Amino acid sequence: MRNMLIKGLVATAVLAALAGCNNNDDDNNVATTCAEAGSACTTFTILHTNDNHGRFWENSDGEYGMAARKTLIDSIRTEVSKNGGQTLLLSGGDINTGVPESDLQDAIPDFTGMNKIGYDAMAVGNHEFDNPLSILDMQRRLAEFPMLAANIYRKNADGTQGERYFEAYKVFDVNGLKVAVIGLTTEDTIKIGNPEYVSDLIFTDPKVEVAKVIKEIKDAKTADIIFATTHMGHYADGQNGSNAPGDVAMARALKEGDLQVVIGGHSQNPVCMEPGTDNKAYAAFNPGDDCAPDKQNGTWIMQAHEWGKYVGRADFEYFNGELHLASYKLVPVNMRKLDDEGKKTADLAGTKIEPDAELKELLSYYQEKGQDKLGEVIATTDALLDGERANVRNKQTNLGRMLAMAQSAKVTADFGVMNSGGVRASIQPGNITYRDVLTVQPFGNMVTLNEMTGTEIATYLGAVGSLEIGSGGYAQITGVKMTIDCVAKTATISDIGGKDFSPTATYKFTVPSFNAAGGDGYPKLESPIQTGYVDADLLYSFLKEKQTIVAADYNPVGDIVYENSKNVEGCQL
């Protein structure tokens, strides 16, 4: 009943918000609806997805998948065209990294699928930099659409800003209307992108960059309206926490009316706002629910959750020199309905979408490639190994600790540090396959070995241990008993490796190469030893040697105490 009420409230809010017409000119006989404007009204539709993360294939429940997405998008295009409109299909980025079938093939199946579906442009996501730039350049050549990022520049030899690495924007003729689409990428990429691959690039402030590009477009008079496709994240009421400012902050920083629409990504949430909150809180959105997008400073902001679970559909009308949002929805792609406890049911949230046969056959080649290797059973676990994003970034978990323990044990280190952003999934009870390993650790980071004095270790762990919960930098740490002061950012250590701590003793520890190079805001280590062990390969060997995992052996034991924090599990000021 509560869900029906919420849906009714959302629907009411949407109707009110989308009335969208200027009624101040009634006395001057100016059209106030598209119907009144007649041929002077231009209609078009924006379709959008974001954060694909390798999900070119449907899941075990038959949800999402690019073949079904193509069927849906083709049907919407046909419908819009019959009604005299035209469509533009945009992606909010992060095509790379998420499932082994895609990762092992450098996301070639995903970009191939996007070509067949007919994407018009995409924002460059931070996970596009999980691979060497040579892979990204290959993907750019493969893509039959522009990859846009106005705020990414090459770094000159002297460290100064050079040319843009990607196109800043693209202008599309949409049903006779010139629509400029600007691409923007989160500044956090320099922190959360692999430092080995982004060190020769400069990521500028998107709020500053977008204003420059808007001025350029206006001065050149090349567009009637200006949109942005971004990979920056949506944070309700601009509360971005430890993340770089996202779409809301950018919209508020601009002159009202300069940017009409933002198609976003990165935060991987359905941007559906709760009625009556002045767009300051999210609605409790479930598949099939109504969705009222955010609007800040005259700019509509939209995001379609993740993985192609939904296709966002925004129907626009343009008349009297103004843009009006006629309707908006997140169309589920074979998503299951949820019960009152949030569990999947057997019923679909929308109409059954049959996958496009030609695209499914093409993608099946990639899906089947290497299946025998990925399906190899290497170990078993008696209980869940918890790598759920909402957990591993907010508290110590058995999987996070197991990874840190496996890495430190491999090179006989005194303790291990594992960034939570490098833990991408849980491992379910039962058999553990190679596919599970690559899903948990898809980035291919090297394990580094480092040596410091006790005093240096205390400084390092004070910085690492005080990184705010909720971020990928939140550290899973094993082999150390200590107290972290979240305000002073200091560590008081009592024990390392089962022995009393000494400021003058020398200790060894492991940390992923990503973090050793300064990723996730960790202190950059000057001379880490590259062990030659890739994280996923090391985990594979660890599990295969153990064969049987008792999950409780890796449960948190209360070794870390956080002071001056709102949260006992980590630093939250």
Side-chain angles (χ1 to χ4, degrees):
M1 183 69 183
R2 180 180 180 274
N3 190 46
M4 293 176 61
L5 177 60
I6 289 174
K7 290 183 68 173
L9 288 171
V10 172
T12 302
V14 170
L15 290 172
L18 304 188
C21 297
N22 184 351
N23 293 309
N24 295 329
D25 296 313
D26 288 347
D27 294 340
N28 298 322
N29 296 318
V30 175
T32 59
T33 67
C34 186
E36 290 178 7
S39 61
C41 178
T42 301
T43 61
F44 66 97
T45 297
I46 299 293
L47 304 177
H48 64 98
T49 62
N50 56 276
D51 294 275
N52 182 72
H53 286 299
R55 267 72 175 189
F56 67 89
W57 198 253
E58 64 189 38
N59 70 3
S60 58
D61 292 319
E63 296 176 308
Y64 52 87
M66 283 186 156
R69 191 191 311 175
K70 184 178 190 302
T71 299
L72 173 61
I73 289 172
D74 284 350
S75 69
I76 294 174
R77 284 186 175 128
T78 299
E79 174 203 332
V80 170
S81 179
K82 285 182 178 179
N83 291 325
Q86 189 174 330
T87 60
L88 194 66
L89 176 59
L90 304 175
S91 165
D94 266 10
I95 310 306
N96 288 271
T97 306
V99 296
E101 291 87 346
S102 174
D103 297 343
L104 287 172
Q105 299 174 81
D106 297 326
I108 289 174
D110 307 270
F111 280 95
T112 299
M114 291 176 74
N115 287 341
K116 295 296 184 181
I117 293 171
Y119 276 78
D120 292 294
M122 67 167 273
V124 175
N126 59 285
H127 282 289
E128 268 62 88
F129 297 94
D130 289 341
N131 304 302
L133 292 183
S134 59
I135 300 297
L136 178 54
D137 289 340
M138 175 277 292
Q139 294 171 344
R140 178 159 47 170
R141 291 191 298 271
L142 174 62
E144 296 173 359
F145 49 86
M147 299 172 71
L148 304 175
N151 65 314
I152 303 178
Y153 290 84
R154 297 179 187 272
K155 185 185 295 182
N156 293 325
D158 61 359
T160 58
Q161 182 172 299
E163 298 178 343
R164 283 194 177 102
Y165 198 73
F166 299 93
E167 290 181 85
Y169 67 95
K170 187 81 172 179
V171 178
F172 298 91
D173 187 327
V174 184
N175 213 17
L177 198 66
K178 299 295 184 183
V179 180
V181 178
I182 304 170
L184 295 159
T185 305
T186 175
E187 282 181 280
D188 272 346
T189 305
I190 200 65
K191 180 174 71 174
I192 60 179
N194 194 320
E196 298 174 52
Y197 307 143
V198 299
S199 58
D200 291 330
L201 300 174
I202 293 174
F203 294 79
T204 61
D205 185 343
K207 298 191 300 298
V208 174
E209 205 69 42
V210 72
K212 287 166 49 179
V213 177
I214 288 173
K215 183 179 186 306
E216 177 184 336
I217 293 170
K218 284 187 170 184
D219 288 347
K221 298 181 179 180
T222 54
D224 300 303
I225 51 178
I226 303 175
F227 287 13
T229 181
T230 71
H231 194 82
M232 294 165 52
H234 183 278
Y235 310 107
D237 198 29
Q239 302 300 306
N240 56 291
S242 60
N243 301 284
D247 296 329
V248 172
M250 179 180 69
R252 290 176 175 177
L254 292 170
K255 179 183 176 183
E256 184 172 355
D258 274 358
L259 186 63
Q260 279 73 40
V261 178
V262 172
I263 301 297
H266 185 52
S267 51
Q268 297 180 224
N269 55 326
V271 175
C272 305
M273 310 311 292
E274 181 71 18
T277 65
D278 197 25
N279 285 352
K280 292 183 178 180
Y282 295 118
F285 177 82
N286 287 320
D289 284 354
D290 295 315
C291 178
D294 197 1
K295 193 173 189 181
Q296 297 287 334
N297 198 27
T299 301
W300 291 105
I301 305 175
M302 304 164 179
Q303 187 176 159
H305 201 187
E306 62 185 4
W307 304 355
K309 294 176 178 178
Y310 307 90
V311 171
R313 174 178 177 171
D315 295 305
F316 288 102
E317 300 170 347
Y318 183 81
F319 58 94
N320 295 340
E322 295 182 356
L323 184 68
H324 306 273
L325 181 58
S327 65
Y328 183 76
K329 63 181 69 174
L330 291 182
V331 185
V333 183
N334 290 334
M335 296 296 292
R336 302 288 187 89
K337 287 183 179 179
L338 304 180
D339 62 20
D340 292 339
E341 296 180 353
K343 296 179 180 179
K344 289 182 183 180
T345 70
D347 299 323
L348 292 179
T351 304
K352 170 67 176 176
I353 302 169
E354 293 298 333
D356 180 86
E358 184 177 347
L359 181 54
K360 187 165 186 176
E361 182 179 1
L362 173 61
L363 294 178
S364 68
Y365 164 78
Y366 297 105
Q367 178 68 9
E368 294 166 6
K369 192 176 180 181
Q371 285 293 300
D372 290 342
K373 182 64 175 173
L374 293 174
E376 176 191 0
V377 176
I378 55 178
T380 63
T381 175
D382 66 339
L384 176 74
L385 294 169
D386 188 1
E388 181 67 28
R389 179 187 177 108
N391 295 333
V392 78
R393 296 189 180 206
N394 289 278
K395 63 182 179 181
Q396 302 291 298
T397 74
N398 55 12
L399 181 55
R401 297 184 78 251
M402 188 181 80
L403 296 175
M405 292 169 73
Q407 293 174 6
S408 60
K410 184 70 175 180
V411 294
T412 321
D414 297 295
F415 66 95
V417 178
M418 181 68 210
N419 69 311
S420 295
V423 186
R424 306 304 290 187
S426 296
I427 296 178
Q428 300 299 320
N431 290 338
I432 303 175
T433 66
Y434 186 32
R435 178 184 291 104
D436 295 322
V437 169
L438 292 175
T439 303
V440 170
Q441 295 203 290
F443 300 133
N445 284 309
M446 193 81 70
V447 176
T448 71
L449 180 63
N450 306 271
E451 189 170 318
M452 291 182 180
T453 66
T455 298
E456 292 169 334
I457 289 289
T459 300
Y460 181 79
L461 289 179
V464 170
S466 60
L467 291 170
E468 192 168 354
I469 63 170
S471 73
Y474 176 79
Q476 303 281 329
I477 302 173
T478 61
V480 183
K481 293 183 179 180
M482 62 180 172
T483 298
I484 298 290
D485 187 319
C486 295
V487 173
K489 300 185 186 301
T490 58
T492 303
I493 304 172
S494 61
D495 181 293
I496 289 183
K499 298 179 181 179
D500 290 342
F501 172 73
S502 169
T504 58
T506 300
Y507 299 97
K508 294 180 180 179
F509 68 96
T510 53
V511 68
S513 57
F514 167 76
N515 305 100
D520 268 340
Y522 281 47
K524 185 176 181 180
L525 300 174
E526 293 303 322
S527 53
I529 299 170
Q530 301 293 336
T531 65
Y533 298 116
V534 175
D535 52 10
D537 293 339
L538 190 152
L539 178 59
Y540 173 89
S541 300
F542 173 84
L543 292 170
K544 195 161 189 176
E545 181 179 342
K546 290 282 187 182
Q547 291 194 337
T548 301
I549 298 296
V550 178
D553 290 347
Y554 306 96
N555 285 347
V557 292
D559 283 348
I560 306 174
V561 176
Y562 297 91
E563 292 184 340
N564 295 319
S565 172
K566 295 178 181 178
N567 195 313
V568 298
E569 300 284 357
C571 288
Q572 185 178 22
L573 302 179

